[in-house]
Every structure is written in structure tokens, then in C-alpha cells.
């Protein structure tokens, strides 16, 4: 039974805002908390959207190293965004868009452009009101059809960079009122082993810092390694000026997909609704989260998949890929063990590729930029092809599969990519012109790196008798792209003559989207990033099929 419409609780038709801040230390899980709360509200029948405010001065994360910021998450409309938007989509199924992520850099860029045009009519441009007004405009844009907008503020309270965002949400409380805004604060309650105690003082200091900026949290989410005793919960409530029931313990979960269930058990969604003056009503139907956790905790088999990449030192660089493989395991009710393998290990003259890859039931080469590790990836692809091990190549992984086939099967010894420098045989090359929904897009070879790739959702047409058409159950698909180089169709005839079939092409037939090997148990390369659209309750068909192939391989070993 869905909850009553929000109009029953107030006269204003506009969306209500939930602001999420963090304190004490970073990486406390604000993004997962926002995604989980949104999923719980969604399960109660409300329409939600989640937004991320990033205080750094980069315009977007598109030019940042994965080691600095983790993966860059790409939306259907071509925005390069924070990886938390991936959590938002995976937990709610609501497609993120360009307006759901903004950085200080983008806000200042827009303001400076306006100032240069003279839009401010000679006024002195200041943080208050110009920057804070821009932040508020971003928060409120395109929210007419929503019940709740959840806005996560990046960083921690007290950071210089986040002060304009904190001030902006303080102003929104004054402008919209308590029945339209709720402040939630994620903080740490550390355990001091020597004393055998949880310590509440860091949380008290964090809340005091926040209140010094004019914001009193309505709900506290307390990350802790041990259960939070009732007396400590009451102490936090007393010193932080919140209801005891609004102090929500957040212990580590067995899986991130168990977090919504844990937060609901602790009363998070009910407390947030009460903070708005809304009666929580009946419990939400969380059956699909129960089913996901049952499949994760009670697998009927397991597989080992080797991911041969160049950023394996930081798993956040492959966050969506990691989760998509987990989703493939959920679809097949098997546990997926991921072995992260540095591609450069296979580039030494004495490297033993077989020793590393023979235990793998499947091999995956993910997207990347630059030449480092490319030869190791090509060697991995050759191993998968020759040993008949299931293989999935994503973006760069598809391009290197084409280079491998050109070199080792088609006799094109110097096959390479122009990404690595000038080459006589550009099997992969930079594309300077392509067709998008908006028309022809062009790029200059020496132009800016930021925002100049083929980005966002593009359609592809699949050959009707292909393996991928059977996997998708369709001959027309739409997938998200993020790349600057394309496989050169000049080499298509030579590659297909040696068994690498171009089974998916752009609608105009100009750009290769998918290659596959009909002579192999499971060998697929895709130019796009299917991991970006996979969800635990709706696993991407490519990953579900890939894990199924790995399971079959495990039974042959």
C-alpha cells in the first residue's frame, strides 16, 4: 500500500529537500547512505532524485586520474560525473543526468562567464549571494515532478572548499521552511580498543562545527564498528540536540546491497519522514532487496574472473565494473571472485602469463587510456583466444582485441593505435567527426581533453544472427560511451576473414560497436561501457551471460 501523496502534508507542491553532510573523516559512506535512503523512500511509493555537490575546482572529474578520484561515471546525456552517481542509479534505477552533479569549478566557470559578458551589470561579484544563489538554482532545477530531492555535499564539514555549499543549504532552509528541508549528518563514532569503548566526542565536535554555520542536523547517521549502546545513543542525542530515535547507528554491512535493509531496520526512513512532519505509514515492500541478499549470501557455486587492467591499485577506478560482475553473479546465483591483475606484469620478457591466467574461469580487459599496460592486455587477449577462455573486452579491451587479431592472425605485424603515437597500421585511430542525436559532432586532434570524447548514450544495430543479439534479445540497443578512439573499419575485411566478426555497428554503419568470435565459446568486445547500466535487481545481459560462461568454464577445468 503506497503512502499518501505529499500534498496531504503541506500546501507546497514543490519537492522536499534532504541534505546530506559528513563530518570527522571522509569515506564514511554518504553516497551509499543517500542511495539507500532514496531506495527506501522509493519503496514507500515516492518519486526521488539524488544530486551530488562536489567542492573541488575541476569543472568535472573527466580529466582527473582514476587514482585521484576513482572512476568517472557517465550519464545517458553525456555528463562525466562523480562515481557516487553510479550508486544512485544502481540503488534506485533512476537514470542520472547532467543536472545531478555540479562542482565548484563548474559553478565558478559559469559565474565568471556571466561576469565577462556583463550580465551582473557592474555589480561586485561575491560568494554571497552570487555563488550561493547558483548552488541553490542547481539544487532546485528540474524538480517539479519529484517528491524528494536528496543532495549530498562532498567532503567533510569544516573544509574550506565546501563552505559555499553549506551556506547555500542553510539559506534554503530559511527560504523553504522546516517542512520542505531536512538536514542529515553522517559522522564517525570510533572504537578505541585500549579503552574498550565507543567514543562520541568526534561526533559532538562535528555537529558543533556544523551548527556554527547555522545548520542543526535533524537526523544523525553514526558510522561505528560495534553496536551503539542505548546510553551512548542517548548521550549523542543530548549533546547534539536531536531526538534519540534520530540517532541512527550504521554498522558495516556484509554487502553494500544490505545497507538499505539495515538502515530501514534502524528506522532511518521513518525518522526522515517524521522530520518533515510526515507520518511514515505502512512499512515499505523491500522484497527485492531481500532477494538480492539471499542470492549473495547463499550462492550455489562460484567463479573466478581475472580483470587485467592498469588501475588495479585502486578498485574505485573500476567501481561500476566490480558491481556489474557482482550483478552477473546475482543473476546466476553464484559468487564472483575477482582477481585484479596488473597488465604490466605480462610485459616483462620472463613473465609467465599462463601461471597467472590458467586459474581464471574468464578474463576481462576493461577501459583505459594511454599506452602503459597495452602489450600486457594484448597478451591476455591472445591467451583467452587460444585457450578458449571466456573473454569480455570493454572499450580499450575491444580495441586491443582488434589489434591482437590483426597482429597474430591477419599478419599485420605493426598493427597499433594512434593513441600510442604515429603508426603505419592504425587499426585503432582518433575519430574527429561522428553523428549524435544533436547532429554531426567534430573534434580537433589537438583540442582540449575535457568533455571532447564520444560521451553518453548511442544506439547500435546488431547482426540478427549474432551472439550478442541473442544475449540482448534485440537487434537495437543503446549503451553509454566514453572514448576518444575508434576501431578503423578499413581493417574490417581482414579481421573478419580471421574470425573476428563486427556484429554491432552504429546506425549509420560507420563506427564499430561490438566484435565477437563465433569460433570461441564466449568472446565479445564492446566499444561502450555496459557496466554503467547494470543494477543488482536488473543485471546487465552481457555480464549475466559472461558470468554464465565463466560458470560453464569452471565445470570444464
Amino acid at each position: 500500500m503506497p503512502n499518501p501523496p505529499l500534498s496531504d502534508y503541506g500546501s507546497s507542491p514543490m519537492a522536499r529537500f534532504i541534505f546530506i553532510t559528513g563530518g570527522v573523516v571522509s569515506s564514511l559512506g554518504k553516497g551509499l547512505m543517500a542511495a539507500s535512503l532514496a531506495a527506501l523512500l522509493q519503496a514507500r511509493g515516492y518519486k526521488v532524485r539524488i544530486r551530488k555537490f562536489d567542492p573541488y575546482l575541476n569543472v568535472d572529474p573527466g580529466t582527473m586520474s582514476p587514482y585521484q578520484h576513482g572512476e568517472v561515471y557517465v550519464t545517458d546525456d553525456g555528463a562525466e560525473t562523480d562515481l557516487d552517481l553510479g550508486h544512485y542509479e544502481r540503488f534506485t534505477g533512476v537514470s542520472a543526468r547532467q543536472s545531478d552533479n555540479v562542482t565548484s569549478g563548474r559553478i565558478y566557470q559559469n559565474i565568471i562567464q556571466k561576469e565577462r559578458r556583463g550580465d551582473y551589470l557592474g555589480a561586485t561579484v561575491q560568494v554571497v549571494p552570487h555563488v550561493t544563489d547558483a548552488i541553490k538554482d542547481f539544487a532546485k532545477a528540474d524538480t517539479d515532478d519529484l517528491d524528494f530531492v536528496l543532495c549530498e555535499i562532498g567532503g567533510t564539514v569544516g573544509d574550506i572548499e565546501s563552505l559555499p555549499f553549506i551556506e547555500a543549504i542553510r539559506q534554503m532552509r530559511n527560504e523553504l521552511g522546516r517542512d520542505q528541508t531536512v538536514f542529515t549528518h553522517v559522522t564517525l563514532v570510533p572504537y578505541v580498543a585500549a579503552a574498550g569503548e565507543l567514543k562520541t566526542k568526534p561526533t559532538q565536535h562535528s555537529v558543533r562545527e556544523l551548527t556554527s554555520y547555522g545548520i542543526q542536523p535533524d537526523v544523525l547517521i553514526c558510522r561505528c564498528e560495534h553496536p551503539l549502546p542505548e546510553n551512548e545513543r542517548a548521550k549523542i542525542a543530548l549533546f547534539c540536540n536531536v531526538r534519540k530515535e534520530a540517532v541512527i547507528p550504521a554498522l558495516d554491512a556484509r554487502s553494500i546491497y544490505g545497507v538499505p535493509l539495515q538502515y530501514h531496520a534502524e528506522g532511518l526512513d521513518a525518522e526522515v519522514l517524521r522530520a518533515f512532519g510526515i507520518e511514515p505509514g505502512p512499512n515499505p515492500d523491500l522484497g527485492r532487496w531481500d532477494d538480492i541478499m539471499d542470492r549473495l549470501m547463499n550462492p550455489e557455486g562460484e567463479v573466478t574472473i581475472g580483470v587485467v587492467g592498469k588501475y588495479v591499485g585502486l578498485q574505485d577506478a573500476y567501481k561500476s565494473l566490480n558491481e556489474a560482475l557482482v550483478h552477473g553473479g546475482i543473476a546466476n546465483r553464484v559468487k564472483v571472485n575477482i582477481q585484479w591483475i596488473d597488465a604490466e606484469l605480462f610485459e616483462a620478457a620472463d613473465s609467465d602469463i599462463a601461471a597467472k591466467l590458467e586459474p581464471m574461469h574468464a578474463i576481462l580487459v576493461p577501459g583505459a587510456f594511454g599506452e602503459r599496460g597495452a602489450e600486457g592486455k594484448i597478451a591476455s587477449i591472445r591467451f583467452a583466444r587460444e585457450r578458449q577462455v571466456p573473454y569480455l573486452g570493454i572499450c580499450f579491451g575491444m580495441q586491443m582485441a582488434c589489434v591482437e587479431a590483426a597482429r597474430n592472425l591477419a599478419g599485420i605485424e605493426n598493427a597499433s593505435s594512434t593513441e600510442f603515437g604515429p603508426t603505419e597500421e592504425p587499426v585503432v585511430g582518433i575519430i574527429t567527426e561522428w553523428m549524435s542525436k544533436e547532429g554531426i559532432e567534430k573534434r580537433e586532434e589537438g583540442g582540449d581533453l575535457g568533455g571532447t570524447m564520444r560521451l553518453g548514450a548511442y544506439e547500435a544495430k546488431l547482426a540478427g544472427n549474432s551472439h550478442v543479439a541473442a544475449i540482448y534479445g534485440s537487434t537495437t540497443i543503446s549503451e553509454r560511451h566514453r572514448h576518444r578512439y575508434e576501431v578503423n573499419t578499413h581493417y574490417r575485411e581482414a579481421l573478419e576473414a580471421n574470425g573476428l566478426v563486427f556484429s554491432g555497428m552504429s546506425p549509420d554503419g560507420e563506427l564499430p560497436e561490438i566484435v565477437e568470435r563465433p569460433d570461441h565459446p564466449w568472446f565479445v568486445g564492446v566499444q561502450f561501457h555496459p557496466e554503467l547500466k547494470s543494477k543488482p535487481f536488473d543485471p546487465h545481459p552481457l555480464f549475466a551471460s559472461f558470468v554464465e560462461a565463466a560458470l560453464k568454464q569452471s565445470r570444464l577445468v
Side-chain angles (χ1 to χ4, degrees), residues 32 70-71 83-84 86-87 90 256-257 314-325 340 531:
L32 277 176
E71 77 168 2
L83 61 81
D84 274 333
H87 289 313
R90 285 188 285 273
I256 62 171
Y257 301 116
L314 180 70
Q315 289 185 23
D316 269 0
Y318 299 113
K319 192 64 181 174
S320 291
L321 179 63
N322 182 92
E323 297 310 313
L325 288 168
W340 302 97
E531 70 271 22

Side-chain angles (χ1 to χ4, degrees), residues 45-64:
Y46 297 123
K47 293 184 68 175
V48 300
R49 180 166 288 280
I50 319 178
R51 290 186 162 159
K52 178 73 183 288
F53 301 76
D54 276 312
Y56 52 74
L57 288 176
N58 303 69
V59 173
D60 61 44
T63 58
M64 295 169 71

Side-chain angles (χ1 to χ4, degrees), residues 413-455:
E413 294 181 7
N414 296 322
S416 188
S417 168
T418 59
E419 184 174 2
F420 310 152
T423 176
E424 297 175 356
E425 300 288 358
V427 172
V428 179
I430 193 165
I431 181 172
T432 57
E433 188 174 297
W434 69 93
M435 182 65 69
S436 72
K437 293 176 183 176
E438 288 74 33
I440 294 176
E441 293 197 32
K442 296 183 179 181
R443 175 202 300 125
E444 296 180 11
E445 272 200 60
D448 291 345
L449 294 179
T452 59
M453 292 181 276
R454 188 151 77 100
L455 289 165

Side-chain angles (χ1 to χ4, degrees), residues 249-425:
L251 277 74
D252 292 343
R254 293 178 295 173
S255 161
I256 62 171
Y257 301 116
V259 173
L261 296 170
Q262 285 189 204
Y263 274 134
H264 175 67
E266 296 291 352
L268 174 62
D269 48 324
E271 280 306 311
V272 168
L273 289 173
R274 288 192 186 100
F276 279 112
I278 299 170
E279 186 57 40
N283 282 327
D285 180 6
L286 300 177
R288 73 177 179 183
W289 295 104
D290 288 322
D291 180 58
I292 288 166
M293 286 303 294
D294 179 56
R295 288 170 173 268
L296 284 171
M297 297 299 114
N298 301 291
E300 296 175 356
E302 62 181 271
V303 297
T304 301
I305 294 176
V307 178
V308 183
K310 65 185 292 185
Y311 310 120
V312 294
L314 180 70
Q315 289 185 23
D316 269 0
Y318 299 113
K319 192 64 181 174
S320 291
L321 179 63
N322 182 92
E323 297 310 313
L325 288 168
V326 172
H327 304 163
I330 290 172
N332 290 280
R333 207 179 185 106
V334 297
K335 179 183 179 184
V336 177
N337 301 307
I338 303 173
Q339 291 289 323
W340 302 97
I341 303 169
D342 189 340
E344 290 185 279
L345 293 175
F346 299 149
E347 296 186 344
D350 59 348
S351 64
D352 189 349
I353 295 176
K356 280 282 188 183
L357 295 183
E358 277 181 352
M360 304 300 127
H361 302 131
I363 296 168
L364 189 153
V365 172
F369 295 93
E371 188 174 8
R372 182 174 65 84
E375 294 301 325
K377 295 179 180 184
I378 290 170
S380 304
I381 295 164
R382 182 172 185 173
F383 179 92
R385 175 177 59 79
E386 293 179 343
R387 299 294 188 94
Q388 300 282 288
V389 178
Y391 173 75
L392 174 58
I394 295 175
C395 196
F396 192 84
M398 168 184 157
Q399 295 170 3
M400 293 304 100
C402 292
V403 171
E404 189 278 326
R407 288 182 186 177
N408 299 319
L409 295 175
I412 308 171
E413 294 181 7
N414 296 322
S416 188
S417 168
T418 59
E419 184 174 2
F420 310 152
T423 176
E424 297 175 356
E425 300 288 358

Side-chain angles (χ1 to χ4, degrees), residues 504-554:
M505 299 291 292
S506 59
D508 61 7
E510 294 294 320
L511 303 176
E513 295 280 13
I514 305 176
V515 296
E516 62 180 63
R517 300 197 72 88
D519 60 352
H520 192 281
W522 207 102
F523 191 107
V524 174
V526 298
Q527 184 58 76
F528 45 82
H529 288 269
E531 70 271 22
L532 298 178
K533 296 183 75 169
S534 188
K535 301 170 183 65
F537 43 81
D538 185 18
H540 193 285
L542 277 176
F543 283 95
S545 179
F546 181 55
V547 172
E548 181 184 23
L551 185 60
K552 291 178 182 176
Q553 182 75 10
S554 72

Side-chain angles (χ1 to χ4, degrees), residues 76-291:
D76 277 337
D77 59 2
E80 294 176 286
T81 69
D82 185 80
L83 61 81
D84 274 333
L85 271 73
H87 289 313
Y88 304 164
E89 277 204 30
R90 285 188 285 273
F91 277 63
T92 66
V94 177
S95 292
R97 54 197 183 197
Q98 185 131 16
S99 58
D100 291 330
N101 186 205
V102 74
T103 68
S104 290
R106 190 166 133 213
I107 286 171
Y108 280 107
Q109 182 186 58
N110 291 343
I111 288 172
I112 290 169
Q113 286 172 346
K114 287 182 179 181
E115 187 273 335
R116 292 291 83 190
R117 289 196 305 263
D119 291 2
Y120 295 113
L121 302 176
T124 301
V125 181
Q126 298 176 290
V127 173
V128 181
H130 300 100
V131 173
T132 51
D133 282 352
I135 293 169
K136 290 186 290 184
D137 289 343
F138 161 76
K140 293 185 282 191
D142 302 322
T143 59
D144 291 343
D145 61 337
L146 301 172
D147 296 317
F148 294 102
V149 181
L150 291 80
C151 298
E152 178 194 347
I153 313 296
T156 56
V157 169
D159 294 346
I160 291 173
E161 295 92 340
S162 63
L163 289 178
F165 294 94
I166 299 295
E167 171 61 17
I169 65 175
R170 183 197 68 79
Q171 292 177 19
M172 286 187 70
R173 162 62 67 89
N174 280 350
E175 293 166 8
L176 301 179
R178 293 187 61 87
D179 63 338
Q180 295 287 153
T181 55
V182 159
F183 295 123
T184 65
H185 188 56
V186 183
T187 184
L188 178 68
V189 181
Y191 179 77
V192 179
E197 293 177 339
L198 288 166
K199 293 296 184 181
T200 66
K201 194 64 71 177
T203 291
Q204 295 177 44
H205 282 303
S206 180
V207 172
R208 187 173 303 149
E209 180 90 9
L210 189 58
T211 55
S212 74
Y213 300 134
I215 292 175
Q216 166 63 52
D218 300 294
V219 179
L220 287 177
I221 295 89
C222 298
R223 286 299 309 274
C224 41
E225 297 178 49
H226 298 269
L228 191 62
E230 285 300 302
N231 62 320
E232 298 300 304
R233 196 173 177 181
K235 183 178 179 181
I236 290 171
L238 176 65
F239 283 101
C240 296
N241 198 30
V242 298
R243 284 162 35 93
K244 178 183 169 185
E245 293 77 12
V247 177
I248 308 295
L251 277 74
D252 292 343
R254 293 178 295 173
S255 161
I256 62 171
Y257 301 116
V259 173
L261 296 170
Q262 285 189 204
Y263 274 134
H264 175 67
E266 296 291 352
L268 174 62
D269 48 324
E271 280 306 311
V272 168
L273 289 173
R274 288 192 186 100
F276 279 112
I278 299 170
E279 186 57 40
N283 282 327
D285 180 6
L286 300 177
R288 73 177 179 183
W289 295 104
D290 288 322
D291 180 58

